Amino acid sequence: MNPVTLRAPGLVLRPWRMDDVAALVEAAGDADLRRWTRTSVGDAADGARYVEEQQQGWESATRLAFAVLEDERLVGHVVVKGVVPGAPVAEVGYWTAAHARGRGVAPRALEALTGWAFTTFGPDGLARLELLHQVDNLGSCRVAEKSGYGLDRTLPASPPAFPHDGHVHVKHAGPAA
């Protein structure tokens, strides 16, 4: 899959690049980001591995991740994963850098990603996107709701990987996608 660049009001979503590593390391130092995500970036070497993984995801078309920028500054990340031709469901995820929270970055980026995913993969069968988060992550719940992802169900905890219950929010393809 060829990488693409997307736009949302005030944002640019583009594939990760090695020159994002320093900003990624800075963003990943945030305790809340570490609490809610599996992003484990402690130094430049970790950051380079993370960026390489995102680039490999594009090459294999298994994980289509975007760095989210505002005025050329890294403010977040969005991803669609598990897109398989003929499969009706894929998953989306996101995180927002601490300095950008509370300004609508995640909903704007997620809406752009959602529209692109349905437009790009809908003809191959994509009809539903799922967004998962821990039940106590109220910020992610708000982002999901603002982005039109309705609460579908609660998943029971599955330790050790998922020690807490989770919410599954869903958005279906259609005129409002």
Side-chain angles (χ1 to χ4, degrees), residues 122-140:
D124 290 331
L126 180 66
R128 172 183 167 119
L129 289 170
E130 295 184 342
L131 183 159
L132 289 76
H133 67 83
Q134 286 182 200
V135 295
D136 56 342
N137 187 339
L138 302 179
S140 277

Side-chain angles (χ1 to χ4, degrees), residues 55-145:
Q55 292 170 339
Q56 290 168 359
W58 276 99
E59 290 170 13
S60 65
T62 57
R63 180 180 178 85
L64 309 172
F66 297 84
V68 179
L69 299 123
E70 182 180 57
D71 297 324
E72 299 184 27
R73 183 176 183 196
L74 180 68
V75 292
H77 161 89
V78 290
V79 61
V80 62
K81 47 193 170 181
V83 177
V84 176
V89 180
E91 182 183 344
V92 296
Y94 57 88
W95 55 256
T96 306
H99 65 84
R101 290 188 194 126
R103 298 190 288 113
V105 168
R108 286 182 282 150
L110 184 57
E111 288 170 13
L113 177 74
T114 299
W116 173 78
F118 282 136
T119 298
T120 304
F121 302 108
D124 290 331
L126 180 66
R128 172 183 167 119
L129 289 170
E130 295 184 342
L131 183 159
L132 289 76
H133 67 83
Q134 286 182 200
V135 295
D136 56 342
N137 187 339
L138 302 179
S140 277
C141 230
R142 284 190 299 273
V143 168
E145 292 166 358

Side-chain angles (χ1 to χ4, degrees), residues 155-175:
L155 296 174
S158 181
F162 302 101
H164 304 285
D165 289 351
H167 278 167
V168 177
H169 294 262
V170 171
K171 180 136 185 180
H172 295 277

